[in-house]
Amino acid sequence: MSSLKDEIDMQNLPVHIAIIMDGNGRWAKKRFLPRKLGHKAGADTLEDITKAADKLGVKHLTVYAFSTENWKRSDEEVKGIMDLLRNYLDRYVAKADKEDIKIDIIGERSRLDQDIQEKIKLIESISAEKPGLNLHIALNYGGRDDLLRGFKKIAGRIEDGSLRAEDITEEMISENLDTGFYPDPELVIRTSGEERISNFMLWQIAYSEFVFNSKLWPDYTEEDLYGDICYYQNRDRRFGGR
Ligand code: FPP
Protein backbone atom coordinates (compact mmCIF):
# COMPACT_ATOMS: atom_id res chain seq x y z
CA MET A 1 0.00 0.00 0.00
CA SER A 2 1.36 3.43 -0.85
CA SER A 3 2.05 5.84 1.97
CA LEU A 4 2.39 9.61 2.09
CA LYS A 5 5.65 8.87 3.88
CA ASP A 6 7.20 8.25 0.46
CA GLU A 7 6.23 11.78 -0.58
CA ILE A 8 8.20 13.44 2.23
CA ASP A 9 11.36 15.30 1.24
CA MET A 10 13.77 13.93 3.84
CA GLN A 11 16.24 16.78 3.16
CA ASN A 12 13.62 19.25 4.33
CA LEU A 13 12.19 17.44 7.33
CA PRO A 14 11.15 19.81 10.16
CA VAL A 15 13.57 19.49 13.06
CA HIS A 16 10.84 20.49 15.53
CA ILE A 17 7.12 19.83 15.22
CA ALA A 18 4.68 21.15 17.84
CA ILE A 19 1.18 19.74 18.20
CA ILE A 20 -1.96 21.10 19.85
CA MET A 21 -3.78 17.82 20.45
CA ASP A 22 -7.36 19.06 20.28
CA GLY A 23 -10.67 17.23 20.00
CA ASN A 24 -10.55 14.52 22.67
CA GLY A 25 -13.76 15.78 24.29
CA ARG A 26 -15.71 15.88 21.00
CA TRP A 27 -14.41 12.43 20.09
CA ALA A 28 -15.80 11.07 23.37
CA LYS A 29 -19.08 12.99 23.03
CA LYS A 30 -19.73 11.52 19.59
CA ARG A 31 -19.49 8.08 21.20
CA PHE A 32 -21.53 8.95 24.32
CA LEU A 33 -18.42 8.32 26.42
CA PRO A 34 -17.08 10.33 29.37
CA ARG A 35 -14.49 12.97 28.41
CA LYS A 36 -11.75 11.14 30.26
CA LEU A 37 -12.05 8.25 27.79
CA GLY A 38 -11.48 10.76 25.01
CA HIS A 39 -8.24 11.77 26.72
CA LYS A 40 -7.32 8.09 27.11
CA ALA A 41 -7.76 7.59 23.36
CA GLY A 42 -5.75 10.80 22.86
CA ALA A 43 -2.90 9.44 24.98
CA ASP A 44 -2.82 6.29 22.78
CA THR A 45 -2.63 8.50 19.68
CA LEU A 46 0.22 10.42 21.27
CA GLU A 47 2.21 7.19 21.63
CA ASP A 48 1.62 6.24 17.99
CA ILE A 49 2.52 9.68 16.66
CA THR A 50 5.63 9.90 18.83
CA LYS A 51 6.84 6.56 17.44
CA ALA A 52 6.08 7.61 13.85
CA ALA A 53 7.88 10.95 14.25
CA ASP A 54 10.86 9.19 15.86
CA LYS A 55 11.10 6.64 13.04
CA LEU A 56 10.93 9.43 10.50
CA GLY A 57 13.90 11.21 12.11
CA VAL A 58 12.13 14.24 13.61
CA LYS A 59 14.35 15.49 16.44
CA HIS A 60 11.89 17.44 18.61
CA LEU A 61 8.17 16.98 19.20
CA THR A 62 6.40 19.31 21.64
CA VAL A 63 2.85 18.39 22.61
CA TYR A 64 0.35 20.54 24.49
CA ALA A 65 -1.02 18.14 27.09
CA PHE A 66 -2.29 20.54 29.78
CA SER A 67 -2.42 24.32 29.68
CA THR A 68 -2.35 26.83 32.52
CA GLU A 69 -6.05 27.40 31.69
CA ASN A 70 -7.01 23.71 31.82
CA TRP A 71 -7.27 23.82 35.65
CA LYS A 72 -10.71 25.40 35.06
CA ARG A 73 -12.03 22.02 33.89
CA SER A 74 -13.88 19.71 36.30
CA ASP A 75 -11.85 18.01 39.04
CA GLU A 76 -12.73 14.67 37.48
CA GLU A 77 -11.38 15.64 34.07
CA VAL A 78 -8.19 17.18 35.51
CA LYS A 79 -7.60 14.04 37.59
CA GLY A 80 -8.27 11.89 34.50
CA ILE A 81 -5.54 13.68 32.51
CA MET A 82 -3.08 13.59 35.44
CA ASP A 83 -3.72 9.85 35.91
CA LEU A 84 -3.02 9.26 32.22
CA LEU A 85 0.24 11.10 32.64
CA ARG A 86 1.14 9.02 35.74
CA ASN A 87 0.38 5.86 33.81
CA TYR A 88 2.38 7.03 30.77
CA LEU A 89 5.43 7.89 32.91
CA ASP A 90 5.24 4.61 34.86
CA ARG A 91 5.02 2.56 31.66
CA TYR A 92 8.02 4.35 30.21
CA VAL A 93 10.05 3.62 33.35
CA ALA A 94 9.03 -0.06 33.28
CA LYS A 95 10.35 -0.54 29.73
CA ALA A 96 13.03 2.15 29.82
CA ASP A 97 15.84 -0.08 28.55
CA LYS A 98 13.93 -0.72 25.31
CA GLU A 99 12.95 2.92 24.84
CA ASP A 100 14.64 5.16 22.32
CA ILE A 101 12.98 8.52 23.03
CA LYS A 102 14.00 11.19 25.46
CA ILE A 103 11.29 12.88 27.54
CA ASP A 104 11.13 16.17 29.36
CA ILE A 105 8.40 18.43 30.61
CA ILE A 106 7.97 22.12 29.85
CA GLY A 107 5.67 24.29 31.97
CA GLU A 108 5.42 25.37 35.57
CA ARG A 109 5.81 22.27 37.75
CA SER A 110 5.21 23.45 41.29
CA ARG A 111 1.44 23.24 40.91
CA LEU A 112 1.60 19.57 39.87
CA ASP A 113 1.07 16.86 42.51
CA GLN A 114 4.24 15.92 44.36
CA ASP A 115 4.26 12.33 43.05
CA ILE A 116 4.02 13.59 39.46
CA GLN A 117 6.93 15.97 40.06
CA GLU A 118 8.98 13.01 41.36
CA LYS A 119 8.06 10.85 38.36
CA ILE A 120 9.03 13.67 36.00
CA LYS A 121 12.45 14.02 37.65
CA LEU A 122 12.99 10.28 37.38
CA ILE A 123 11.98 10.04 33.73
CA GLU A 124 14.06 13.07 32.74
CA SER A 125 17.11 11.49 34.33
CA ILE A 126 16.67 7.96 32.97
CA SER A 127 15.82 9.11 29.46
CA ALA A 128 18.47 11.85 29.23
CA GLU A 129 20.98 9.83 27.20
CA LYS A 130 18.50 8.23 24.79
CA PRO A 131 19.46 8.70 21.15
CA GLY A 132 16.01 9.18 19.60
CA LEU A 133 13.40 11.89 19.38
CA ASN A 134 13.05 14.46 22.16
CA LEU A 135 9.46 14.46 23.35
CA HIS A 136 8.67 17.67 25.23
CA ILE A 137 5.36 17.39 27.07
CA ALA A 138 3.83 20.78 27.87
CA LEU A 139 2.13 20.49 31.25
CA ASN A 140 0.68 23.38 33.20
CA TYR A 141 2.17 25.32 30.30
CA GLY A 142 1.11 28.72 29.00
CA GLY A 143 3.01 30.85 26.50
CA ARG A 144 2.45 34.00 28.54
CA ASP A 145 3.46 32.25 31.75
CA ASP A 146 6.63 30.97 30.00
CA LEU A 147 7.48 34.56 28.95
CA LEU A 148 6.65 35.94 32.39
CA ARG A 149 8.92 33.43 34.12
CA GLY A 150 11.64 34.12 31.56
CA PHE A 151 11.39 37.89 32.04
CA LYS A 152 11.60 37.45 35.83
CA LYS A 153 14.84 35.48 35.42
CA ILE A 154 16.30 38.23 33.25
CA ALA A 155 15.06 40.96 35.61
CA GLY A 156 16.78 39.12 38.48
CA ARG A 157 20.10 39.50 36.65
CA ILE A 158 19.47 43.22 36.19
CA GLU A 159 18.64 43.51 39.87
CA ASP A 160 21.85 41.76 40.95
CA GLY A 161 23.89 43.94 38.60
CA SER A 162 25.14 41.18 36.27
CA LEU A 163 23.17 42.46 33.25
CA ARG A 164 22.30 45.88 31.85
CA ALA A 165 18.82 46.38 30.37
CA GLU A 166 20.26 47.64 27.08
CA ASP A 167 22.19 44.37 26.67
CA ILE A 168 19.06 42.18 26.58
CA THR A 169 18.88 40.35 23.23
CA GLU A 170 16.28 38.20 21.51
CA GLU A 171 18.58 35.19 22.00
CA MET A 172 18.65 35.88 25.73
CA ILE A 173 14.86 35.89 25.87
CA SER A 174 14.74 32.59 23.93
CA GLU A 175 17.31 31.02 26.24
CA ASN A 176 15.32 31.95 29.33
CA LEU A 177 12.16 30.21 28.15
CA ASP A 178 11.31 26.59 29.00
CA THR A 179 12.28 25.68 25.43
CA GLY A 180 15.63 27.47 25.72
CA PHE A 181 17.68 24.39 24.96
CA TYR A 182 16.04 23.46 21.64
CA PRO A 183 15.12 25.16 18.34
CA ASP A 184 11.82 26.88 17.55
CA PRO A 185 9.21 24.76 15.74
CA GLU A 186 9.11 25.01 11.96
CA LEU A 187 5.68 23.38 11.96
CA VAL A 188 2.74 23.68 14.37
CA ILE A 189 -0.17 21.29 13.88
CA ARG A 190 -3.55 21.76 15.55
CA THR A 191 -6.18 19.07 15.18
CA SER A 192 -9.99 19.20 15.39
CA GLY A 193 -10.48 22.06 12.93
CA GLU A 194 -10.01 24.84 15.49
CA GLU A 195 -7.73 27.60 14.24
CA ARG A 196 -6.33 29.18 17.39
CA ILE A 197 -3.02 29.20 19.24
CA SER A 198 -4.51 29.01 22.75
CA ASN A 199 -1.48 30.46 24.51
CA PHE A 200 0.95 27.85 23.14
CA MET A 201 4.64 28.85 22.73
CA LEU A 202 3.87 32.47 21.81
CA TRP A 203 7.47 33.62 21.36
CA GLN A 204 8.73 30.44 19.71
CA ILE A 205 6.18 30.35 16.85
CA ALA A 206 7.18 33.70 15.32
CA TYR A 207 8.17 32.04 12.01
CA SER A 208 6.35 28.70 12.28
CA GLU A 209 4.06 27.35 9.59
CA PHE A 210 0.62 26.27 10.81
CA VAL A 211 -1.37 23.30 9.66
CA PHE A 212 -4.93 23.04 10.95
CA ASN A 213 -6.10 19.47 10.50
CA SER A 214 -9.82 18.77 10.81
CA LYS A 215 -9.37 15.31 12.36
CA LEU A 216 -10.12 14.98 16.09
CA TRP A 217 -6.89 14.11 17.92
CA PRO A 218 -7.84 10.49 18.83
CA ASP A 219 -8.53 9.85 15.11
CA TYR A 220 -5.23 11.37 13.95
CA THR A 221 -2.93 8.77 12.36
CA GLU A 222 0.65 8.38 11.14
CA GLU A 223 -0.62 9.03 7.61
CA ASP A 224 -2.13 12.35 8.79
CA LEU A 225 1.26 13.31 10.20
CA TYR A 226 3.00 12.47 6.91
CA GLY A 227 0.33 14.40 4.99
CA ASP A 228 0.70 17.46 7.24
CA ILE A 229 4.49 17.37 6.81
CA CYS A 230 4.06 17.21 2.99
CA TYR A 231 1.61 20.11 3.15
CA TYR A 232 4.17 22.11 5.16
CA GLN A 233 6.94 21.23 2.70
CA ASN A 234 4.93 22.62 -0.18
CA ARG A 235 4.77 26.03 1.48
CA ASP A 236 7.20 28.76 0.55
CA ARG A 237 8.87 29.94 3.77
CA ARG A 238 10.18 33.48 3.33
CA PHE A 239 10.87 34.64 6.92
CA GLY A 240 9.81 38.16 6.04
CA GLY A 241 12.02 38.28 2.94
CA ARG A 242 10.78 38.01 -0.64
C1 FPP B 1 -7.80 19.00 24.14
O1 FPP B 1 -9.00 18.35 23.83
C2 FPP B 1 -6.95 18.08 24.86
C3 FPP B 1 -6.51 18.27 26.12
C4 FPP B 1 -6.83 19.46 26.94
C5 FPP B 1 -5.71 17.24 26.79
C6 FPP B 1 -4.74 16.53 25.92
C7 FPP B 1 -4.26 15.37 26.65
C8 FPP B 1 -3.94 14.19 26.10
C9 FPP B 1 -3.92 13.92 24.64
C10 FPP B 1 -3.51 13.10 26.97
C11 FPP B 1 -2.17 13.46 27.54
C12 FPP B 1 -1.55 12.29 28.01
C13 FPP B 1 -0.28 12.17 28.28
C14 FPP B 1 0.21 10.84 28.52
C15 FPP B 1 0.64 13.30 28.34
P1 FPP B 1 -10.35 18.90 24.41
O2 FPP B 1 -10.66 18.15 25.67
O3 FPP B 1 -10.27 20.38 24.55
O4 FPP B 1 -11.35 18.47 23.28
P2 FPP B 1 -12.68 19.23 22.86
O5 FPP B 1 -12.24 20.58 22.34
O6 FPP B 1 -13.22 18.34 21.78
O7 FPP B 1 -13.55 19.30 24.07
Side-chain angles (χ1 to χ4, degrees):
M1 215 179 77
S2 77
S3 164
L4 288 170
K5 194 175 181 179
D6 304 327
E7 309 287 316
I8 295 175
D9 171 5
M10 295 306 288
Q11 305 307 315
N12 183 23
L13 194 65
V15 174
H16 179 189
I17 300 177
I19 307 186
I20 303 178
M21 310 179 286
D22 196 11
N24 296 345
R26 276 162 283 168
W27 183 92
K29 194 171 178 203
K30 269 169 62 179
R31 288 163 179 75
F32 305 101
L33 294 170
R35 293 181 63 85
K36 67 178 180 191
L37 289 188
H39 296 311
K40 164 80 180 69
D44 293 342
T45 300
L46 173 60
E47 287 201 39
D48 294 344
I49 296 303
T50 305
K51 277 189 203 130
D54 183 32
K55 265 200 238 145
L56 204 57
V58 173
K59 275 287 138 213
H60 298 274
L61 180 68
T62 306
V63 293
Y64 207 7
F66 195 85
S67 73
T68 44
E69 289 75 35
N70 285 153
W71 297 105
K72 293 183 206 137
R73 298 193 176 198
S74 72
D75 290 352
E76 191 198 355
E77 185 171 351
V78 170
K79 184 175 181 311
I81 296 176
M82 293 301 162
D83 283 347
L84 281 171
L85 179 75
R86 286 186 172 91
N87 183 276
Y88 179 84
L89 298 175
D90 287 346
R91 277 185 299 121
Y92 182 98
V93 173
K95 52 185 170 60
D97 47 339
K98 294 193 206 81
E99 285 288 353
D100 176 50
I101 64 162
K102 195 159 148 178
I103 299 180
D104 63 79
I105 303 294
I106 61 166
E108 208 286 300
R109 301 178 185 195
S110 66
R111 196 168 167 188
L112 302 172
D113 286 351
Q114 199 56 42
D115 72 303
I116 293 188
Q117 293 188 41
E118 301 294 327
K119 287 181 202 290
I120 290 172
K121 262 195 231 151
L122 176 66
I123 206 154
E124 285 179 338
S125 75
I126 61 177
S127 76
E129 301 303 323
K130 298 288 184 187
L133 170 137
N134 294 267
L135 175 65
H136 312 283
I137 304 178
L139 256 191
N140 191 25
Y141 179 85
R144 287 186 172 182
D145 183 61
D146 192 4
L147 282 162
L148 179 64
R149 287 183 286 108
F151 291 155
K152 283 183 181 169
K153 281 187 231 163
I154 294 172
R157 290 192 48 204
I158 295 175
E159 229 167 41
D160 72 18
S162 63
L163 178 71
R164 294 183 318 166
E166 60 264 40
D167 293 333
I168 297 173
T169 60
E170 290 191 5
E171 288 69 31
M172 205 179 282
I173 295 175
S174 294
E175 282 162 15
N176 281 282
L177 300 179
D178 291 343
T179 49
F181 58 103
Y182 64 105
D184 291 342
E186 296 97 319
L187 168 61
V188 177
I189 299 170
R190 181 173 189 146
T191 59
S192 91
E194 304 290 347
E195 300 187 357
R196 290 189 292 276
I197 277 306
S198 302
N199 199 15
F200 191 38
M201 299 205 290
L202 298 177
W203 175 270
Q204 299 89 332
I205 59 171
Y207 289 103
S208 304
E209 294 287 334
F210 296 91
V211 175
F212 298 105
N213 190 305
S214 61
K215 285 261 187 99
L216 301 176
W217 175 248
D219 292 329
Y220 192 82
T221 64
E222 277 180 43
E223 280 300 309
D224 292 314
L225 176 70
Y226 305 145
D228 288 345
I229 293 173
C230 291
Y231 189 53
Y232 151 82
Q233 289 184 332
N234 288 318
R235 302 244 180 106
D236 178 16
R237 301 187 79 205
R238 288 192 293 270
F239 302 98
R242 296 211 55 205

